[in-house]
Amino acid sequence: MSHNISYSTADKADVLAYLGSNGALSDEQLRRLDGMRRDARARQDDLDRQDVDWGLSIPDALDHLIAGHTRSDAQCAGNAYHAALQHIIDHNASDPSHLGTYSKPSTFFGLVDDEMRRLGVPADLLPHGFLYDGPPPEFPHLPYAIDGYPTIGHLPLARTKPAADAYRAVLDRMNPDFRYDVEELAEKLEFEHGEWERATKDIDWYTQDTLFFWLT
């Protein structure tokens, strides 16, 4: 089975505003919440057609997050909470982009981390870390997703250029099996950094600060 990695940029404060809000939101936020609920219902309908039962529906998981808790004891509740949080991110983020499709992304990027660590890349810039480290620390803890998917990772936009620079510095010494994917990741991080730097300078209302990754 293959897994997709997508990413988008957002202001994490915009996402956090919904968590524990109990619906005390602005008119614009309530409009977005309606969209989140529609998307959560559509995703749940798709799971139902596949006879996938997580023990907690995505719409109910979304309600839990809005209420400020993740108290479900369902075995696969983590899957539903990650999916629900992603709907909140999606409605407060840029259009998603595709990073890649991998048969075993955790294994692959774990090996990439090992190779980069050997070559001296700092631990806080290793890709497996930000792909699988979960939401930012200010966010509530989400139960682990059974089988590891879906899951959410993040990287501050201010760290995208340092990460890309660190990867390029070791690219020619890296195991050839990893070079293509690492160069692709570096290019995408450089692009997102350039967009962030330009928008921060030129657009008064721009506040995006986080690159979110979504693994399914």
Side-chain angles (χ1 to χ4, degrees):
M1 180 178 179
S2 295
H3 297 280
N4 294 311
I5 304 177
S6 303
Y7 62 94
S8 57
T9 59
D11 181 341
K12 63 177 180 287
D14 289 344
V15 180
L16 276 169
Y18 291 85
L19 308 181
S21 68
N22 286 305
L25 299 163
S26 69
D27 289 345
E28 173 60 20
Q29 289 170 323
L30 288 171
R31 184 189 66 78
R32 293 187 185 192
L33 180 57
D34 285 343
M36 297 170 202
R37 294 191 192 283
R38 286 194 299 271
D39 288 352
R41 183 70 262 165
R43 175 66 175 133
Q44 185 61 47
D45 288 345
D46 184 54
L47 292 178
D48 292 344
R49 284 192 291 271
Q50 299 176 58
D51 293 323
V52 174
D53 182 6
W54 286 340
L56 174 68
S57 74
I58 300 173
D60 285 346
L62 178 59
D63 286 342
H64 290 188
L65 293 179
I66 299 304
H69 70 83
T70 54
R71 289 199 286 263
S72 173
D73 59 1
Q75 183 179 10
C76 298
N79 299 57
Y81 285 129
H82 279 85
L85 179 57
Q86 186 59 38
H87 286 306
I88 299 177
I89 293 170
D90 285 346
H91 282 265
N92 289 277
S94 63
D95 291 337
S97 298
H98 183 66
L99 177 62
T101 301
Y102 300 88
S103 59
K104 296 180 179 179
S106 182
T107 299
F108 177 78
F109 283 103
L111 293 172
V112 170
D113 275 16
D114 290 342
E115 178 74 348
M116 287 187 174
R117 193 178 293 109
R118 180 183 71 81
L119 295 171
V121 173
D124 63 340
L125 299 178
L126 298 175
H128 188 281
F130 59 74
L131 291 173
Y132 285 91
D133 200 29
E138 302 95 324
F139 283 50
H141 171 73
L142 299 183
Y144 182 73
I146 298 299
D147 297 326
Y149 303 93
T151 193
I152 295 169
H154 80 281
L155 180 68
L157 282 164
R159 303 291 288 161
T160 51
K161 185 62 160 56
D165 288 346
Y167 302 166
R168 290 205 179 279
V170 301
L171 198 59
D172 62 345
R173 294 180 284 135
M174 187 174 291
N175 184 324
D177 292 342
F178 303 137
R179 285 180 190 163
Y180 174 81
D181 296 274
V182 171
E183 186 166 18
E184 284 285 299
L185 176 56
E187 287 180 0
K188 289 175 169 61
L189 294 178
E190 286 167 343
F191 175 81
E192 293 301 334
H193 181 272
E195 291 294 293
W196 170 72
E197 193 174 52
R198 179 193 59 78
T200 301
K201 178 181 177 182
D202 297 339
I203 304 175
D204 291 342
W205 50 262
Y206 182 89
T207 58
Q208 292 187 355
D209 56 10
T210 304
L211 187 60
F212 286 98
F213 295 91
W214 173 234
L215 291 81
T216 56

